[in-house]
PDB file of all heavy atoms in Angstrom:
ATOM      1  N   VAL A 294       7.694  -6.681  13.449  1.00  0.00           N
ATOM      2  CA  VAL A 294       9.050  -6.276  12.923  1.00  0.00           C
ATOM      3  C   VAL A 294       9.000  -5.018  12.307  1.00  0.00           C
ATOM      4  O   VAL A 294       7.889  -4.429  12.090  1.00  0.00           O
ATOM      5  CB  VAL A 294       9.627  -7.245  11.971  1.00  0.00           C
ATOM      6  CG1 VAL A 294       9.839  -8.717  12.438  1.00  0.00           C
ATOM      7  CG2 VAL A 294       8.770  -7.383  10.753  1.00  0.00           C
ATOM      8  N   ARG A 295      10.102  -4.259  12.013  1.00  0.00           N
ATOM      9  CA  ARG A 295      10.157  -3.035  11.469  1.00  0.00           C
ATOM     10  C   ARG A 295      10.436  -3.210   9.967  1.00  0.00           C
ATOM     11  O   ARG A 295      11.013  -4.151   9.514  1.00  0.00           O
ATOM     12  CB  ARG A 295      11.304  -2.147  12.108  1.00  0.00           C
ATOM     13  CG  ARG A 295      11.100  -1.856  13.570  1.00  0.00           C
ATOM     14  CD  ARG A 295      12.135  -0.904  14.165  1.00  0.00           C
ATOM     15  NE  ARG A 295      11.923  -0.668  15.422  1.00  0.00           N
ATOM     16  CZ  ARG A 295      11.253   0.236  16.117  1.00  0.00           C
ATOM     17  NH1 ARG A 295      10.451   0.977  15.289  1.00  0.00           N
ATOM     18  NH2 ARG A 295      11.163   0.421  17.308  1.00  0.00           N
ATOM     19  N   ALA A 296      10.045  -2.236   9.170  1.00  0.00           N
ATOM     20  CA  ALA A 296      10.088  -2.252   7.801  1.00  0.00           C
ATOM     21  C   ALA A 296      11.723  -2.323   7.458  1.00  0.00           C
ATOM     22  O   ALA A 296      12.590  -1.773   8.043  1.00  0.00           O
ATOM     23  CB  ALA A 296       9.650  -0.967   7.159  1.00  0.00           C
ATOM     24  N   GLY A 297      11.946  -3.279   6.471  1.00  0.00           N
ATOM     25  CA  GLY A 297      13.289  -3.598   6.182  1.00  0.00           C
ATOM     26  C   GLY A 297      13.972  -4.782   6.823  1.00  0.00           C
ATOM     27  O   GLY A 297      14.999  -5.270   6.445  1.00  0.00           O
ATOM     28  N   GLU A 298      13.310  -5.269   7.862  1.00  0.00           N
ATOM     29  CA  GLU A 298      13.823  -6.375   8.624  1.00  0.00           C
ATOM     30  C   GLU A 298      13.369  -7.673   7.931  1.00  0.00           C
ATOM     31  O   GLU A 298      12.569  -7.668   7.043  1.00  0.00           O
ATOM     32  CB  GLU A 298      13.393  -6.333  10.114  1.00  0.00           C
ATOM     33  CG  GLU A 298      13.907  -5.212  10.959  1.00  0.00           C
ATOM     34  CD  GLU A 298      13.574  -5.181  12.308  1.00  0.00           C
ATOM     35  OE1 GLU A 298      12.628  -5.815  12.620  1.00  0.00           O
ATOM     36  OE2 GLU A 298      14.237  -4.549  13.207  1.00  0.00           O
ATOM     37  N   SER A 299      13.833  -8.736   8.603  1.00  0.00           N
ATOM     38  CA  SER A 299      13.508 -10.106   8.087  1.00  0.00           C
ATOM     39  C   SER A 299      12.819 -10.998   9.069  1.00  0.00           C
ATOM     40  O   SER A 299      12.900 -10.700  10.178  1.00  0.00           O
ATOM     41  CB  SER A 299      14.829 -10.726   7.628  1.00  0.00           C
ATOM     42  OG  SER A 299      15.516 -10.083   6.580  1.00  0.00           O
ATOM     43  N   LEU A 300      12.168 -12.039   8.588  1.00  0.00           N
ATOM     44  CA  LEU A 300      11.431 -12.936   9.469  1.00  0.00           C
ATOM     45  C   LEU A 300      11.162 -14.233   8.715  1.00  0.00           C
ATOM     46  O   LEU A 300      11.029 -14.248   7.540  1.00  0.00           O
ATOM     47  CB  LEU A 300      10.061 -12.225   9.832  1.00  0.00           C
ATOM     48  CG  LEU A 300       9.311 -12.895  10.990  1.00  0.00           C
ATOM     49  CD1 LEU A 300      10.071 -12.671  12.274  1.00  0.00           C
ATOM     50  CD2 LEU A 300       7.856 -12.227  11.120  1.00  0.00           C
ATOM     51  N   ASP A 301      11.322 -15.355   9.569  1.00  0.00           N
ATOM     52  CA  ASP A 301      11.109 -16.619   8.897  1.00  0.00           C
ATOM     53  C   ASP A 301       9.927 -17.284   9.496  1.00  0.00           C
ATOM     54  O   ASP A 301       9.755 -17.258  10.717  1.00  0.00           O
ATOM     55  CB  ASP A 301      12.391 -17.504   9.229  1.00  0.00           C
ATOM     56  CG  ASP A 301      13.598 -16.994   8.618  1.00  0.00           C
ATOM     57  OD1 ASP A 301      13.550 -16.224   7.582  1.00  0.00           O
ATOM     58  OD2 ASP A 301      14.740 -17.360   8.965  1.00  0.00           O
ATOM     59  N   LEU A 302       9.082 -17.896   8.719  1.00  0.00           N
ATOM     60  CA  LEU A 302       7.897 -18.668   9.102  1.00  0.00           C
ATOM     61  C   LEU A 302       8.118 -20.136   8.922  1.00  0.00           C
ATOM     62  O   LEU A 302       8.766 -20.489   7.997  1.00  0.00           O
ATOM     63  CB  LEU A 302       6.653 -18.153   8.261  1.00  0.00           C
ATOM     64  CG  LEU A 302       6.401 -16.687   8.366  1.00  0.00           C
ATOM     65  CD1 LEU A 302       5.025 -16.413   7.572  1.00  0.00           C
ATOM     66  CD2 LEU A 302       6.285 -16.108   9.734  1.00  0.00           C
ATOM     67  N   THR A 303       7.492 -20.882   9.772  1.00  0.00           N
ATOM     68  CA  THR A 303       7.538 -22.396   9.557  1.00  0.00           C
ATOM     69  C   THR A 303       6.153 -22.940   9.540  1.00  0.00           C
ATOM     70  O   THR A 303       5.256 -22.508  10.224  1.00  0.00           O
ATOM     71  CB  THR A 303       8.176 -22.893  10.802  1.00  0.00           C
ATOM     72  OG1 THR A 303       9.639 -22.448  10.869  1.00  0.00           O
ATOM     73  CG2 THR A 303       8.401 -24.474  10.622  1.00  0.00           C
ATOM     74  N   CYS A 304       5.922 -23.983   8.728  1.00  0.00           N
ATOM     75  CA  CYS A 304       4.704 -24.675   8.695  1.00  0.00           C
ATOM     76  C   CYS A 304       4.983 -26.130   8.775  1.00  0.00           C
ATOM     77  O   CYS A 304       5.703 -26.767   7.935  1.00  0.00           O
ATOM     78  CB  CYS A 304       4.016 -24.322   7.330  1.00  0.00           C
ATOM     79  SG  CYS A 304       2.488 -25.382   7.002  1.00  0.00           S
ATOM     80  N   ARG A 305       4.347 -26.784   9.735  1.00  0.00           N
ATOM     81  CA  ARG A 305       4.578 -28.188   9.962  1.00  0.00           C
ATOM     82  C   ARG A 305       3.200 -28.853   9.618  1.00  0.00           C
ATOM     83  O   ARG A 305       2.184 -28.540  10.186  1.00  0.00           O
ATOM     84  CB  ARG A 305       4.971 -28.439  11.395  1.00  0.00           C
ATOM     85  CG  ARG A 305       6.368 -27.956  11.661  1.00  0.00           C
ATOM     86  CD  ARG A 305       6.870 -28.364  12.996  1.00  0.00           C
ATOM     87  NE  ARG A 305       8.328 -28.017  13.215  1.00  0.00           N
ATOM     88  CZ  ARG A 305       8.799 -26.790  13.622  1.00  0.00           C
ATOM     89  NH1 ARG A 305       7.923 -25.851  13.842  1.00  0.00           N
ATOM     90  NH2 ARG A 305      10.099 -26.586  13.712  1.00  0.00           N
ATOM     91  N   LEU A 306       3.315 -29.882   8.785  1.00  0.00           N
ATOM     92  CA  LEU A 306       2.189 -30.641   8.340  1.00  0.00           C
ATOM     93  C   LEU A 306       2.289 -32.043   8.830  1.00  0.00           C
ATOM     94  O   LEU A 306       3.295 -32.703   8.856  1.00  0.00           O
ATOM     95  CB  LEU A 306       2.052 -30.692   6.861  1.00  0.00           C
ATOM     96  CG  LEU A 306       2.119 -29.271   6.063  1.00  0.00           C
ATOM     97  CD1 LEU A 306       2.037 -29.512   4.515  1.00  0.00           C
ATOM     98  CD2 LEU A 306       0.844 -28.593   6.571  1.00  0.00           C
ATOM     99  N   SER A 307       1.137 -32.632   9.177  1.00  0.00           N
ATOM    100  CA  SER A 307       1.054 -33.976   9.683  1.00  0.00           C
ATOM    101  C   SER A 307      -0.305 -34.666   9.292  1.00  0.00           C
ATOM    102  O   SER A 307      -1.238 -33.898   8.904  1.00  0.00           O
ATOM    103  CB  SER A 307       1.310 -34.099  11.102  1.00  0.00           C
ATOM    104  OG  SER A 307       0.225 -33.426  11.887  1.00  0.00           O
ATOM    105  N   GLY A 308      -0.474 -35.891   9.298  1.00  0.00           N
ATOM    106  CA  GLY A 308      -1.655 -36.599   9.028  1.00  0.00           C
ATOM    107  C   GLY A 308      -1.735 -37.152   7.687  1.00  0.00           C
ATOM    108  O   GLY A 308      -0.720 -37.437   7.065  1.00  0.00           O
ATOM    109  N   ALA A 309      -2.978 -37.207   7.221  1.00  0.00           N
ATOM    110  CA  ALA A 309      -3.160 -37.880   5.907  1.00  0.00           C
ATOM    111  C   ALA A 309      -2.877 -36.810   4.724  1.00  0.00           C
ATOM    112  O   ALA A 309      -3.714 -36.054   4.367  1.00  0.00           O
ATOM    113  CB  ALA A 309      -4.644 -38.357   5.767  1.00  0.00           C
ATOM    114  N   ARG A 310      -1.710 -36.982   4.221  1.00  0.00           N
ATOM    115  CA  ARG A 310      -1.177 -36.115   3.257  1.00  0.00           C
ATOM    116  C   ARG A 310      -0.641 -36.901   2.110  1.00  0.00           C
ATOM    117  O   ARG A 310       0.046 -37.829   2.233  1.00  0.00           O
ATOM    118  CB  ARG A 310      -0.162 -35.167   3.784  1.00  0.00           C
ATOM    119  CG  ARG A 310       0.574 -34.229   2.840  1.00  0.00           C
ATOM    120  CD  ARG A 310       1.492 -33.295   3.541  1.00  0.00           C
ATOM    121  NE  ARG A 310       2.511 -32.666   2.632  1.00  0.00           N
ATOM    122  CZ  ARG A 310       2.219 -31.616   1.770  1.00  0.00           C
ATOM    123  NH1 ARG A 310       1.075 -31.094   1.719  1.00  0.00           N
ATOM    124  NH2 ARG A 310       3.279 -31.271   1.053  1.00  0.00           N
ATOM    125  N   SER A 311      -0.985 -36.515   0.874  1.00  0.00           N
ATOM    126  CA  SER A 311      -0.657 -37.180  -0.342  1.00  0.00           C
ATOM    127  C   SER A 311       0.784 -36.942  -0.633  1.00  0.00           C
ATOM    128  O   SER A 311       1.396 -35.784  -0.423  1.00  0.00           O
ATOM    129  CB  SER A 311      -1.510 -36.723  -1.542  1.00  0.00           C
ATOM    130  OG  SER A 311      -0.879 -37.122  -2.747  1.00  0.00           O
ATOM    131  N   PRO A 312       1.614 -37.977  -0.936  1.00  0.00           N
ATOM    132  CA  PRO A 312       2.888 -37.845  -1.278  1.00  0.00           C
ATOM    133  C   PRO A 312       3.198 -36.944  -2.497  1.00  0.00           C
ATOM    134  O   PRO A 312       4.322 -36.477  -2.731  1.00  0.00           O
ATOM    135  CB  PRO A 312       3.392 -39.248  -1.446  1.00  0.00           C
ATOM    136  CG  PRO A 312       2.193 -40.006  -1.955  1.00  0.00           C
ATOM    137  CD  PRO A 312       1.123 -39.385  -1.117  1.00  0.00           C
ATOM    138  N   PHE A 313       2.124 -36.638  -3.243  1.00  0.00           N
ATOM    139  CA  PHE A 313       2.164 -35.907  -4.482  1.00  0.00           C
ATOM    140  C   PHE A 313       1.940 -34.340  -4.207  1.00  0.00           C
ATOM    141  O   PHE A 313       2.113 -33.525  -5.133  1.00  0.00           O
ATOM    142  CB  PHE A 313       1.287 -36.350  -5.563  1.00  0.00           C
ATOM    143  CG  PHE A 313       1.654 -37.743  -5.865  1.00  0.00           C
ATOM    144  CD1 PHE A 313       0.714 -38.841  -5.452  1.00  0.00           C
ATOM    145  CD2 PHE A 313       2.665 -38.047  -6.726  1.00  0.00           C
ATOM    146  CE1 PHE A 313       0.998 -40.128  -5.812  1.00  0.00           C
ATOM    147  CE2 PHE A 313       2.902 -39.523  -7.201  1.00  0.00           C
ATOM    148  CZ  PHE A 313       2.056 -40.338  -6.648  1.00  0.00           C
ATOM    149  N   ASP A 314       1.619 -34.056  -2.977  1.00  0.00           N
ATOM    150  CA  ASP A 314       1.151 -32.710  -2.622  1.00  0.00           C
ATOM    151  C   ASP A 314       2.361 -31.657  -2.590  1.00  0.00           C
ATOM    152  O   ASP A 314       3.537 -32.116  -2.020  1.00  0.00           O
ATOM    153  CB  ASP A 314       0.472 -32.629  -1.422  1.00  0.00           C
ATOM    154  CG  ASP A 314      -0.960 -32.825  -1.497  1.00  0.00           C
ATOM    155  OD1 ASP A 314      -1.450 -33.132  -2.696  1.00  0.00           O
ATOM    156  OD2 ASP A 314      -1.731 -32.925  -0.524  1.00  0.00           O
ATOM    157  N   GLY A 315       2.264 -30.518  -2.993  1.00  0.00           N
ATOM    158  CA  GLY A 315       3.239 -29.397  -2.765  1.00  0.00           C
ATOM    159  C   GLY A 315       2.619 -28.704  -1.650  1.00  0.00           C
ATOM    160  O   GLY A 315       1.951 -29.187  -0.751  1.00  0.00           O
ATOM    161  N   ALA A 316       2.939 -27.423  -1.578  1.00  0.00           N
ATOM    162  CA  ALA A 316       2.491 -26.537  -0.458  1.00  0.00           C
ATOM    163  C   ALA A 316       2.440 -25.131  -0.902  1.00  0.00           C
ATOM    164  O   ALA A 316       3.135 -24.748  -1.895  1.00  0.00           O
ATOM    165  CB  ALA A 316       3.232 -26.817   0.786  1.00  0.00           C
ATOM    166  N   GLY A 317       1.672 -24.315  -0.246  1.00  0.00           N
ATOM    167  CA  GLY A 317       1.673 -22.894  -0.532  1.00  0.00           C
ATOM    168  C   GLY A 317       1.574 -22.018   0.751  1.00  0.00           C
ATOM    169  O   GLY A 317       1.023 -22.531   1.760  1.00  0.00           O
ATOM    170  N   TRP A 318       2.146 -20.878   0.703  1.00  0.00           N
ATOM    171  CA  TRP A 318       1.933 -19.854   1.714  1.00  0.00           C
ATOM    172  C   TRP A 318       1.077 -18.814   1.197  1.00  0.00           C
ATOM    173  O   TRP A 318       1.231 -18.327   0.079  1.00  0.00           O
ATOM    174  CB  TRP A 318       3.347 -19.347   2.073  1.00  0.00           C
ATOM    175  CG  TRP A 318       4.178 -20.045   3.008  1.00  0.00           C
ATOM    176  CD1 TRP A 318       5.242 -20.835   2.739  1.00  0.00           C
ATOM    177  CD2 TRP A 318       3.988 -20.117   4.436  1.00  0.00           C
ATOM    178  NE1 TRP A 318       5.722 -21.422   3.890  1.00  0.00           N
ATOM    179  CE2 TRP A 318       5.003 -21.046   4.916  1.00  0.00           C
ATOM    180  CE3 TRP A 318       3.115 -19.466   5.265  1.00  0.00           C
ATOM    181  CZ2 TRP A 318       5.192 -21.268   6.224  1.00  0.00           C
ATOM    182  CZ3 TRP A 318       3.304 -19.898   6.816  1.00  0.00           C
ATOM    183  CH2 TRP A 318       4.346 -20.719   7.139  1.00  0.00           C
ATOM    184  N   TYR A 319       0.057 -18.589   2.088  1.00  0.00           N
ATOM    185  CA  TYR A 319      -0.976 -17.500   1.793  1.00  0.00           C
ATOM    186  C   TYR A 319      -0.939 -16.420   2.796  1.00  0.00           C
ATOM    187  O   TYR A 319      -0.494 -16.664   3.868  1.00  0.00           O
ATOM    188  CB  TYR A 319      -2.326 -18.184   1.671  1.00  0.00           C
ATOM    189  CG  TYR A 319      -2.415 -19.269   0.667  1.00  0.00           C
ATOM    190  CD1 TYR A 319      -1.923 -20.534   1.077  1.00  0.00           C
ATOM    191  CD2 TYR A 319      -3.085 -19.138  -0.480  1.00  0.00           C
ATOM    192  CE1 TYR A 319      -2.016 -21.627   0.024  1.00  0.00           C
ATOM    193  CE2 TYR A 319      -3.176 -20.207  -1.436  1.00  0.00           C
ATOM    194  CZ  TYR A 319      -2.703 -21.475  -1.131  1.00  0.00           C
ATOM    195  OH  TYR A 319      -2.798 -22.487  -1.999  1.00  0.00           O
ATOM    196  N   ARG A 320      -1.531 -15.298   2.537  1.00  0.00           N
ATOM    197  CA  ARG A 320      -1.658 -14.296   3.553  1.00  0.00           C
ATOM    198  C   ARG A 320      -3.011 -13.585   3.333  1.00  0.00           C
ATOM    199  O   ARG A 320      -3.566 -13.479   2.202  1.00  0.00           O
ATOM    200  CB  ARG A 320      -0.527 -13.316   3.531  1.00  0.00           C
ATOM    201  CG  ARG A 320      -0.487 -12.387   2.262  1.00  0.00           C
ATOM    202  CD  ARG A 320       0.840 -11.587   2.345  1.00  0.00           C
ATOM    203  NE  ARG A 320       0.949 -10.674   1.189  1.00  0.00           N
ATOM    204  CZ  ARG A 320       2.004 -10.005   0.862  1.00  0.00           C
ATOM    205  NH1 ARG A 320       3.079 -10.029   1.751  1.00  0.00           N
ATOM    206  NH2 ARG A 320       2.076  -9.082  -0.217  1.00  0.00           N
ATOM    207  N   GLN A 321      -3.527 -12.992   4.327  1.00  0.00           N
ATOM    208  CA  GLN A 321      -4.671 -12.181   4.393  1.00  0.00           C
ATOM    209  C   GLN A 321      -4.466 -10.909   5.185  1.00  0.00           C
ATOM    210  O   GLN A 321      -4.453 -10.905   6.273  1.00  0.00           O
ATOM    211  CB  GLN A 321      -5.921 -13.001   4.957  1.00  0.00           C
ATOM    212  CG  GLN A 321      -7.254 -12.367   4.878  1.00  0.00           C
ATOM    213  CD  GLN A 321      -8.356 -13.228   5.214  1.00  0.00           C
ATOM    214  OE1 GLN A 321      -8.221 -14.217   5.904  1.00  0.00           O
ATOM    215  NE2 GLN A 321      -9.514 -12.858   4.711  1.00  0.00           N
ATOM    216  N   PRO A 322      -4.318  -9.874   4.420  1.00  0.00           N
ATOM    217  CA  PRO A 322      -4.119  -8.537   5.032  1.00  0.00           C
ATOM    218  C   PRO A 322      -5.416  -8.114   5.686  1.00  0.00           C
ATOM    219  O   PRO A 322      -6.571  -8.613   5.322  1.00  0.00           O
ATOM    220  CB  PRO A 322      -3.875  -7.669   3.847  1.00  0.00           C
ATOM    221  CG  PRO A 322      -3.213  -8.487   2.860  1.00  0.00           C
ATOM    222  CD  PRO A 322      -4.076  -9.758   2.957  1.00  0.00           C
ATOM    223  N   PRO A 323      -5.471  -7.148   6.581  1.00  0.00           N
ATOM    224  CA  PRO A 323      -6.702  -6.778   7.223  1.00  0.00           C
ATOM    225  C   PRO A 323      -7.687  -6.212   6.121  1.00  0.00           C
ATOM    226  O   PRO A 323      -7.341  -5.371   5.404  1.00  0.00           O
ATOM    227  CB  PRO A 323      -6.171  -5.523   8.149  1.00  0.00           C
ATOM    228  CG  PRO A 323      -4.762  -5.912   8.524  1.00  0.00           C
ATOM    229  CD  PRO A 323      -4.279  -6.531   7.192  1.00  0.00           C
ATOM    230  N   GLY A 324      -8.846  -6.657   6.155  1.00  0.00           N
ATOM    231  CA  GLY A 324      -9.917  -6.227   5.348  1.00  0.00           C
ATOM    232  C   GLY A 324      -9.847  -6.674   3.852  1.00  0.00           C
ATOM    233  O   GLY A 324     -10.658  -6.118   3.020  1.00  0.00           O
ATOM    234  N   LYS A 325      -8.815  -7.627   3.577  1.00  0.00           N
ATOM    235  CA  LYS A 325      -8.731  -7.963   2.245  1.00  0.00           C
ATOM    236  C   LYS A 325      -8.806  -9.543   2.189  1.00  0.00           C
ATOM    237  O   LYS A 325      -8.986 -10.198   3.148  1.00  0.00           O
ATOM    238  CB  LYS A 325      -7.377  -7.613   1.703  1.00  0.00           C
ATOM    239  CG  LYS A 325      -7.228  -6.078   1.649  1.00  0.00           C
ATOM    240  CD  LYS A 325      -5.848  -5.683   1.032  1.00  0.00           C
ATOM    241  CE  LYS A 325      -5.655  -4.191   1.033  1.00  0.00           C
ATOM    242  NZ  LYS A 325      -4.398  -3.862   0.281  1.00  0.00           N
ATOM    243  N   GLN A 326      -8.870 -10.014   0.878  1.00  0.00           N
ATOM    244  CA  GLN A 326      -9.039 -11.469   0.593  1.00  0.00           C
ATOM    245  C   GLN A 326      -7.653 -12.165   0.904  1.00  0.00           C
ATOM    246  O   GLN A 326      -6.524 -11.615   0.636  1.00  0.00           O
ATOM    247  CB  GLN A 326      -9.495 -11.674  -0.756  1.00  0.00           C
ATOM    248  CG  GLN A 326     -10.902 -11.077  -0.991  1.00  0.00           C
ATOM    249  CD  GLN A 326     -11.934 -11.722  -0.146  1.00  0.00           C
ATOM    250  OE1 GLN A 326     -12.127 -12.921  -0.096  1.00  0.00           O
ATOM    251  NE2 GLN A 326     -12.828 -10.839   0.465  1.00  0.00           N
ATOM    252  N   ARG A 327      -7.725 -13.432   1.125  1.00  0.00           N
ATOM    253  CA  ARG A 327      -6.542 -14.328   1.274  1.00  0.00           C
ATOM    254  C   ARG A 327      -5.962 -14.351  -0.154  1.00  0.00           C
ATOM    255  O   ARG A 327      -6.667 -14.529  -1.204  1.00  0.00           O
ATOM    256  CB  ARG A 327      -6.886 -15.683   1.738  1.00  0.00           C
ATOM    257  CG  ARG A 327      -5.685 -16.610   2.013  1.00  0.00           C
ATOM    258  CD  ARG A 327      -6.213 -17.968   2.468  1.00  0.00           C
ATOM    259  NE  ARG A 327      -6.509 -17.990   3.897  1.00  0.00           N
ATOM    260  CZ  ARG A 327      -7.720 -18.135   4.294  1.00  0.00           C
ATOM    261  NH1 ARG A 327      -8.822 -18.286   3.531  1.00  0.00           N
ATOM    262  NH2 ARG A 327      -7.945 -18.163   5.686  1.00  0.00           N
ATOM    263  N   GLU A 328      -4.599 -14.335  -0.175  1.00  0.00           N
ATOM    264  CA  GLU A 328      -4.012 -14.446  -1.366  1.00  0.00           C
ATOM    265  C   GLU A 328      -2.773 -15.307  -1.326  1.00  0.00           C
ATOM    266  O   GLU A 328      -2.167 -15.419  -0.263  1.00  0.00           O
ATOM    267  CB  GLU A 328      -3.428 -13.114  -1.894  1.00  0.00           C
ATOM    268  CG  GLU A 328      -2.444 -12.398  -0.895  1.00  0.00           C
ATOM    269  CD  GLU A 328      -1.974 -10.902  -1.408  1.00  0.00           C
ATOM    270  OE1 GLU A 328      -2.529 -10.576  -2.473  1.00  0.00           O
ATOM    271  OE2 GLU A 328      -1.279 -10.362  -0.673  1.00  0.00           O
ATOM    272  N   LEU A 329      -2.467 -16.036  -2.406  1.00  0.00           N
ATOM    273  CA  LEU A 329      -1.273 -16.861  -2.527  1.00  0.00           C
ATOM    274  C   LEU A 329      -0.010 -16.015  -2.765  1.00  0.00           C
ATOM    275  O   LEU A 329       0.073 -15.230  -3.614  1.00  0.00           O
ATOM    276  CB  LEU A 329      -1.441 -17.917  -3.718  1.00  0.00           C
ATOM    277  CG  LEU A 329      -0.268 -18.786  -4.019  1.00  0.00           C
ATOM    278  CD1 LEU A 329      -0.032 -19.830  -2.759  1.00  0.00           C
ATOM    279  CD2 LEU A 329      -0.524 -19.620  -5.260  1.00  0.00           C
ATOM    280  N   VAL A 330       0.963 -16.283  -2.035  1.00  0.00           N
ATOM    281  CA  VAL A 330       2.202 -15.450  -2.111  1.00  0.00           C
ATOM    282  C   VAL A 330       3.388 -16.383  -2.534  1.00  0.00           C
ATOM    283  O   VAL A 330       4.261 -15.750  -3.156  1.00  0.00           O
ATOM    284  CB  VAL A 330       2.559 -14.779  -0.697  1.00  0.00           C
ATOM    285  CG1 VAL A 330       1.556 -13.751  -0.272  1.00  0.00           C
ATOM    286  CG2 VAL A 330       2.790 -15.714   0.321  1.00  0.00           C
ATOM    287  N   ALA A 331       3.440 -17.639  -2.114  1.00  0.00           N
ATOM    288  CA  ALA A 331       4.441 -18.541  -2.701  1.00  0.00           C
ATOM    289  C   ALA A 331       4.011 -19.999  -2.712  1.00  0.00           C
ATOM    290  O   ALA A 331       3.179 -20.351  -1.878  1.00  0.00           O
ATOM    291  CB  ALA A 331       5.710 -18.282  -1.719  1.00  0.00           C
ATOM    292  N   SER A 332       4.492 -20.675  -3.618  1.00  0.00           N
ATOM    293  CA  SER A 332       4.085 -22.097  -3.590  1.00  0.00           C
ATOM    294  C   SER A 332       5.449 -22.897  -4.012  1.00  0.00           C
ATOM    295  O   SER A 332       6.285 -22.397  -4.659  1.00  0.00           O
ATOM    296  CB  SER A 332       3.010 -22.462  -4.633  1.00  0.00           C
ATOM    297  OG  SER A 332       3.416 -22.061  -5.964  1.00  0.00           O
TER     298      SER A 332
END
């Protein structure tokens, strides 16, 4: 996308998952460490 535009991401989970779990979105820029962006 171009700067200023929007984009939607989807995460689908399945399997053995605790009903008490939340979730987080992380990202890893090129050459950098993975970081938490939203939870």
Side-chain angles (χ1 to χ4, degrees):
V294 298
R295 298 183 184 278
E298 295 184 339
S299 300
L300 198 63
D301 296 339
L302 306 183
T303 299
C304 172
R305 293 185 170 85
L306 305 175
S307 63
R310 175 173 161 80
S311 170
F313 301 102
D314 278 357
W318 279 99
Y319 303 76
R320 69 184 181 188
Q321 185 169 23
K325 298 183 178 181
Q326 300 296 315
R327 181 183 285 111
E328 61 182 357
L329 176 67
V330 297
S332 63

